[in-house]
């Protein structure tokens, strides 16, 4: 029998005899997308923890624990959540073997590979896959990796994935209708990427978590802002509107630092009204933003910090 992966081959010619370019996209980075509460746990643990396969996969009767990655991005929002962790593909496959798992007849269909450091025998569950020779949906040719972008790619890594290996954390919209998070109803489904940024980074800063610092402040080009700049500008906007009137007095630095952490801690657990009550204890929006900037400078070990020009959401 022909291997199942041939159906998804990157080098399969169309009726015109030409290879569809969408079936041969450069494979450089892959992603793990999580709901906000899951992302907070990942940030606290410092890793994406492997877990048992629980869907309709042929591996759901095994005790194999995996972490999930994909090369896809989502035009209409992700069905997996709002928080995206990005890792270089080379960092995933270096020193590892690939095994074909299965095709999933979704719309569009999905193909699944297992990536592991261990050599596993061929079985009814797994078939060894050589990306340098096979014409499947992931190939390695002339020193470069490619993937079939017309389908959904799903990579099951048989290990925990430390956040130190990831290059960036960013934020996406959740799909408005569909969710694969197991929550019914899903409270993140109506949450925008902007709101997910506020809740998630409030958690990072309130509890002094440093597991993804390298992935939220990065070199910018032109007018692009990093995640922290966007967070400060948007958080100041939201709290200024919600607090309605600032009526606090100037207090000692220690009290102001505790107050800003309390605001962020409340925001991170979605107690937005309570956070706005605390925000109103600052004498002005400028004082609130100054304290937030001081917290960020402390968090990243900077002598000082000021965000780039305001972007409104």
């Amino acid at each position: 029998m022909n291997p199942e992966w041939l159906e998804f081959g990157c080098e399969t010619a169309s009726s015109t005899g030409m290879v569809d370019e969408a079936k041969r996209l450069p494979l450089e980075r892959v992603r793990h997308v999580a709901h906000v509460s899951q992302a907070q746990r990942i940030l606290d643990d410092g890793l994406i923890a492997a877990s048992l396969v629980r869907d309709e996969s042929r591996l759901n009767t095994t005790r194999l624990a995996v972490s999930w990655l994909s090369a896809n991005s989502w035009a209409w929002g992700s069905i997996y959540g709002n928080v995206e962790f990005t890792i270089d593909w080379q960092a995933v496959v270096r020193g590892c073997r690939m095994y074909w798992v299965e095709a999933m007849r979704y719309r569009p269909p999905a193909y699944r590979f297992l990536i592991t450091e261990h050599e596993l025998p061929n079985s009814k569950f797994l078939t060894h896959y050589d990306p340098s020779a096979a014409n499947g949906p992931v190939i390695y040719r002339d020193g470069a990796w490619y993937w079939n972008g017309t389908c959904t790619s799903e990579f099951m890594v048989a290990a925990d994935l430390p956040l130190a290996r990831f290059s960036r954390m960013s934020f996406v919209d959740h799909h408005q209708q569909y969710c694969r998070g197991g929550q019914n109803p899903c409270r993140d489904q109506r949450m925008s990427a902007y709101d997910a940024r506020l809740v998630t980074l409030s958690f990072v800063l309130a509890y002094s978590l440093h597991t993804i610092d390298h992935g939220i402040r990065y070199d910018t080009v032109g007018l692009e802002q990093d995640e922290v700049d966007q967070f400060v500008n948007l958080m100041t906007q939201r709290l200024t509107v919600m607090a309605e009137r600032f009526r606090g007095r100037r207090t000692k630095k220690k009290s102001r630092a505790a107050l800003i952490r309390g605001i962020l801690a409340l925001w991170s657990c979605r107690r937005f009204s309570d956070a706005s009550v605390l925000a109103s204890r600052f004498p002005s929006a400028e004082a609130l933003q100054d304290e937030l900037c001081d917290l960020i400078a402390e968090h990243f070990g900077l002598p000082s910090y000021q965000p780039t020009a305001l972007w409104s959401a």
Side-chain angles (χ1 to χ4, degrees):
M1 293 179 61
N2 289 327
E4 190 177 30
W5 62 69
L6 286 179
E7 178 183 348
F8 307 97
C10 285
E11 298 180 319
T12 303
S14 67
S15 58
T16 64
M18 302 295 290
V19 175
D20 184 349
E21 289 301 316
K23 290 185 177 181
R24 190 183 166 98
L25 299 177
L27 180 52
E28 298 171 343
R29 287 170 290 277
V30 288
R31 306 165 182 86
H32 178 91
V33 182
H35 286 78
V36 169
S37 58
Q38 296 167 334
Q40 289 176 336
R41 185 169 62 250
I42 289 168
L43 290 163
D44 198 20
D45 293 343
L47 55 79
I48 296 170
S51 59
L52 297 178
V53 181
R54 299 189 184 279
D55 68 2
E56 61 272 26
S57 171
R58 64 181 57 168
L59 297 183
N60 63 11
T61 58
T62 72
R63 300 298 295 172
L64 183 66
V66 302
S67 304
W68 294 85
L69 299 170
S70 175
N72 294 79
S73 55
W74 306 94
W76 304 107
S78 172
I79 63 175
Y80 300 103
N82 308 77
V83 187
E84 184 174 275
F85 299 92
T86 302
I87 186 171
D88 291 344
W89 174 250
Q90 295 278 11
V92 176
V93 295
R94 187 179 298 116
C96 291
R97 296 171 174 84
M98 292 184 67
Y99 292 86
W100 174 260
V101 179
E102 61 201 337
M104 305 299 290
R105 303 300 170 179
Y106 304 141
R107 294 185 179 179
Y111 51 83
R112 287 181 172 175
F113 288 96
L114 177 71
I115 300 171
T116 177
E117 295 179 348
H118 306 290
E119 185 171 358
L120 304 175
N122 283 352
S123 68
K124 64 179 180 179
F125 299 116
L126 302 169
T127 304
H128 182 261
Y129 181 84
D130 181 359
S132 64
N135 180 21
V138 175
I139 61 174
Y140 182 71
R141 300 289 190 269
D142 301 320
W145 289 89
Y146 301 92
W147 68 294
N148 182 343
T150 65
C151 302
T152 302
S153 60
E154 296 184 348
F155 303 108
M156 308 160 79
V157 183
D160 297 334
L161 294 174
L163 290 185
R165 297 173 61 185
F166 285 75
S167 59
R168 184 174 176 182
M169 179 176 71
S170 55
F171 303 91
V172 298
D173 292 331
H174 194 300
H175 196 284
Q176 294 282 302
Q177 292 179 290
Y178 304 109
C179 177
R180 290 289 296 274
Q183 305 175 56
N184 187 21
C186 173
R187 64 175 182 166
D188 292 353
Q189 207 153 8
R190 302 297 178 184
M191 180 179 282
S192 70
Y194 296 107
D195 292 320
R197 178 184 293 109
L198 292 185
V199 173
T200 305
L201 293 187
S202 290
F203 182 77
V204 168
L205 293 167
Y207 297 102
S208 300
L209 302 176
H210 296 279
T211 51
I212 199 64
D213 285 357
H214 60 285
I216 54 177
R217 297 215 70 223
Y218 47 86
D219 293 336
T220 59
V221 178
L223 296 177
E224 183 185 359
Q225 295 176 306
D226 68 14
E227 295 296 344
V228 176
D229 286 342
Q230 295 187 57
F231 167 79
V232 172
N233 288 324
L234 185 56
M235 179 59 81
T236 304
Q237 261 192 355
R238 291 285 175 84
L239 288 172
T240 299
V241 171
M242 293 180 66
E244 295 181 354
R245 185 168 67 88
F246 292 95
R247 53 183 179 272
R249 297 180 180 180
R250 288 284 178 184
T251 58
K252 293 181 179 180
K253 174 64 178 176
K254 185 176 181 181
S255 298
R256 298 198 305 273
L259 185 58
I260 199 67
R261 285 190 188 275
I263 291 169
L264 297 182
L266 287 168
W267 201 278
S268 74
C269 59
R270 311 187 202 207
R271 294 177 61 178
F272 306 126
S273 295
D274 291 341
S276 69
V277 171
L278 286 189
S280 68
R281 297 181 63 181
F282 277 94
S284 66
E286 292 75 16
L288 187 153
Q289 179 164 314
D290 287 346
E291 196 58 46
L292 185 54
C293 289
D294 286 351
L295 175 60
I296 289 168
E298 176 189 336
H299 183 93
F300 290 100
L302 304 172
S304 63
Y305 166 79
Q306 284 296 321
T308 56
L310 178 66
W311 282 10
S312 60

